[in-house]
Amino acid sequence: MRPLRYSINITLDGCYDHTMMPSDEALHRHAIENLKQADALLFGRVTYQMMEAAFRSPAQTGTRPDWMAPWMEPFARTIDAAKKYVVSSTLEQVDWNAERLRGNLGSAVQQLKQQPGKGLFVGGVQLPQALAELGLIDEYEFVIHPRLVGHGPTLFAGLSKPLDLQFVSRLDVGSGAVAMRYEPRR
């Protein structure tokens, strides 16, 4: 069975707003390594549209927007090439090497997990919370940035019950960020 892995960047005070996170080459290399461990990516509508808007065109045209540093290009190419599944009740169609995941979320994701391969990777906030509620995430990675922002959205707000995790590993990613990996206690 393919494992479903989740990774997200957060500040020390738990904010996940990507506009609050510093970014550097080491963090992007780490993200590429995560993506390489997956046969496919699983996104909700918001994350899918955000990633597509940011990385599709630069990967396909080689023309970087002003905000994109040259060291971001390998990430753009990696995510562009990845197979994607999108969970959305509002998008009529998707492209960008993607297909909509239809039907019951738990059953659909369980079917993806049962296919042979290296694994699946999920990003975002709302979809991972729904998957956590269903007990479908096999590994959690929190890339913790040495920053306090004092406001903003926090992860898993409204989780119906506590989810106990077991520490797996720690990796210094760069610029003071630390990737902490956990598995659910079963």
Side-chain angles (χ1 to χ4, degrees), residues 7-9 24-34 37 139-146 167-182:
S7 181
I8 192 157
N9 291 281
D24 64 21
E25 190 170 357
L27 288 164
H28 274 248
R29 277 195 313 267
H30 178 71
I32 291 168
E33 290 305 312
N34 276 344
Q37 293 178 33
E139 184 179 289
Y140 294 80
E141 179 188 70
F142 304 100
V143 180
I144 305 165
H145 294 259
F167 176 76
V168 173
S169 66
R170 170 192 173 186
L171 174 68
D172 292 327
V173 178
S175 303
V178 177
M180 304 291 287
R181 291 184 185 257
Y182 297 89

Side-chain angles (χ1 to χ4, degrees), residues 107-149:
S107 298
V109 172
Q110 194 63 31
Q111 286 179 347
L112 289 176
K113 289 178 69 170
Q114 289 174 354
Q115 294 174 9
K118 298 181 284 187
L120 301 164
F121 187 83
V122 64
V125 178
Q126 292 177 345
L127 177 59
Q129 180 161 333
L131 296 170
E133 292 276 6
L134 293 170
L136 292 173
I137 298 178
D138 300 296
E139 184 179 289
Y140 294 80
E141 179 188 70
F142 304 100
V143 180
I144 305 165
H145 294 259
R147 175 175 273 186
L148 300 172
V149 294

